[in-house]
Amino acid sequence: MQAKTSRWWLAVACALLALGSSVSHAALFEDDEARRAILEMRQRIDQMQQNSGGDAAQLRRSVLDLQSQIETLRAETAELRGQNEKLRRDLSELQQRQKDVATSVDERLRKFEPETVQVDGREFKAEPAEKADYEAALAVFRTGKFAEAASAFQGFMGKYPKSGYLPSARFWLGNAQYATRDYKSAIDNFKALLAAAPEHARAPEAALSIANCQVELKDTKAARKTLEDLIRVYPQSEAASAAKERLARLK
């Protein structure tokens, strides 16, 4: 802009010199010719001023356009920053939801995964539903509803024939049957326990319960034999001590 202004003033200066020269020579010409020369010079100066003014106006328009573009870019940048922040928040929320869903799925899956349980000195894996069914049947037995408990344990054994709970389930089923005076069925279940798991913690008690059932059935000879076998196989058990006392009473 300064270069354009300098050129304009240079042109004006040249024009003024020419004007001065024309005036100095005016005396050599007629008055009409001098006036025409002055008018032409004024027109040239006006035209140069108009051109210079047009350049300045165009420059101002360019500056204004540039400022408008800068403001537009600033607004778009601010909008993009806002969108970026929103995307970050959305991403963070999505990641948290995914984490919550994963945690919820893990918790649900754990409800169906086998877990390690310990019953009557034995440790084994059991499904949550299997554990719940066994504990439910045992809870019924403890309320004294022996017929219902027997039905519950029979249902459990049918549903889980390979369960780690099976020896314990047979033991409590036999006791429920003994309580309902179903002695023969009780004997069968206690014998099945001894045959399948002779080292089970409930095995000595099962043998003693067999003898009790035999006594109830008036089969003293079989009861005596059962007690003698109990003392021989499980000599250190509490059931063996009880068997000795009962055996003495049977003689």
Side-chain angles (χ1 to χ4, degrees):
M1 182 177 179
Q2 291 178 354
K4 288 184 178 180
T5 304
S6 299
R7 288 197 296 270
W8 181 81
W9 282 112
L10 179 60
V12 172
C14 292
L16 290 174
L17 289 174
L19 178 60
S21 177
S22 298
V23 172
S24 64
H25 289 82
L28 300 177
F29 298 97
E30 295 293 332
D31 292 339
D32 292 340
E33 292 179 357
R35 284 194 293 272
R36 283 197 301 271
I38 292 171
L39 290 174
E40 289 177 0
M41 184 57 64
R42 287 178 178 175
Q43 289 176 355
R44 289 173 60 188
I45 292 173
D46 290 341
Q47 185 176 1
M48 291 175 64
Q49 288 178 342
Q50 289 176 359
N51 291 337
S52 176
D55 292 341
Q58 184 177 0
L59 182 58
R60 284 195 295 272
R61 286 195 299 272
S62 298
V63 171
L64 290 175
D65 289 343
L66 183 59
Q67 289 178 342
S68 178
Q69 292 176 6
I70 292 173
E71 292 301 324
T72 301
L73 287 175
R74 286 177 178 174
E76 291 177 352
T77 301
E79 182 178 358
L80 289 174
R81 286 177 179 172
Q83 292 176 354
N84 189 36
E85 290 299 324
K86 184 177 184 302
L87 288 174
R88 288 181 180 177
R89 290 194 300 271
D90 291 344
L91 178 59
S92 178
E93 292 176 359
L94 178 59
Q95 290 174 338
Q96 185 60 46
R97 285 199 297 270
Q98 288 177 335
K99 186 182 295 184
D100 293 341
V101 169
T103 301
S104 177
V105 170
D106 289 341
E107 291 176 353
R108 292 180 181 179
L109 288 177
R110 279 196 293 270
K111 293 180 180 179
F112 298 96
E113 291 178 353
E115 58 181 292
T116 302
V117 296
Q118 290 185 342
V119 177
D120 293 332
R122 301 185 72 190
E123 183 175 282
F124 53 90
K125 292 284 187 178
E127 297 178 2
E130 177 185 358
K131 178 182 177 182
D133 289 347
Y134 174 82
E135 292 178 348
L138 188 58
V140 174
F141 179 89
R142 287 170 175 166
T143 63
K145 299 177 181 179
F146 300 116
E148 294 179 13
S151 178
F153 280 115
Q154 286 173 335
F156 176 87
M157 291 165 56
K159 188 175 181 179
Y160 307 102
K162 296 182 179 180
S163 173
Y165 286 107
L166 199 59
S168 298
R170 287 191 182 281
F171 176 79
W172 293 112
L173 173 58
N175 278 280
Q177 291 168 332
Y178 179 86
T180 58
R181 299 183 180 182
D182 186 2
Y183 302 121
K184 291 183 179 181
S185 296
I187 290 173
D188 291 340
N189 276 296
F190 288 132
K191 285 184 176 181
L193 188 163
L194 293 173
E199 301 301 323
H200 193 272
R202 297 288 186 178
E205 295 179 61
L208 184 60
S209 295
I210 291 173
N212 292 336
C213 290
Q214 291 168 337
V215 169
E216 295 294 339
L217 292 172
K218 310 299 182 183
D219 191 351
T220 305
K221 182 178 180 180
R224 184 179 293 110
K225 176 68 169 56
T226 300
L227 293 171
E228 289 172 351
D229 290 341
L230 168 58
I231 296 169
R232 176 176 55 81
V233 177
Y234 306 105
Q236 303 302 320
S237 65
E238 294 182 5
S241 298
K244 291 176 182 179
E245 295 178 0
R246 296 185 186 184
L247 190 58
R249 290 198 297 270
L250 288 176
K251 292 182 179 179

